[in-house]
């Protein structure tokens, strides 16, 4: 993502705006986690690696915050997430 907004929020139906804002936040945080972990894997400097991985952990907390809010405003997401979890449990035991 790196500074690109995934959707034009001006084109989003107002009743879905909060959901899309939260999803955009999730995308940004997941992208950041991936970026920081990849950079940490590339560096040989242990101090840089330590800080990058610490920042990645903070981003993971942000993912949890956005997910929590998304589940509050999108009940369909709650149900679909539950169904997805059940499918994985069935497939993997």
């Amino acid at each position: 993502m790196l500074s690109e907004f995934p959707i034009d929020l001006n084109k989003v139906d107002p009743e879905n705006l909060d959901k899309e804002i939260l999803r955009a936040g999730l995308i940004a945080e997941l992208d950041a986690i991936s970026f920081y972990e990849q950079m940490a894997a590339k560096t040989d400097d242990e101090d840089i690696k330590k800080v990058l991985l610490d920042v990645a952990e903070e981003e993971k907390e942000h993912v949890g915050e956005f997910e929590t809010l998304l589940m509050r405003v999108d009940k369909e997401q709650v149900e679909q997430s539950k169904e997805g979890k059940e499918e994985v449990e069935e497939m993997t035991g």
Side-chain angles (χ1 to χ4, degrees), residues 2 30-56:
L2 296 176
L30 292 169
D31 190 51
I33 293 164
S34 179
F35 174 78
Y36 294 133
E37 288 183 347
Q38 288 178 49
M39 295 302 103
K42 290 286 188 186
T43 187
D44 292 325
D45 185 300
E46 289 303 315
D47 288 338
I48 294 172
K49 184 183 300 280
K50 183 186 293 186
V51 170
L52 287 167
L53 292 175
D54 181 66
V55 172

Side-chain angles (χ1 to χ4, degrees), residues 1 4 13 26 36 46 48 58 62 64 83 91:
M1 193 161 134
E4 287 186 34
D13 186 336
L26 280 165
Y36 294 133
E46 289 303 315
I48 294 172
E58 291 174 20
H62 298 162
E83 288 181 22
M91 287 188 278

Side-chain angles (χ1 to χ4, degrees), residues 81-91:
S81 293
K82 180 181 171 189
E83 288 181 22
K85 180 179 179 179
E86 290 170 358
E87 283 186 31
V88 169
E89 292 301 320
E90 286 175 16
M91 287 188 278

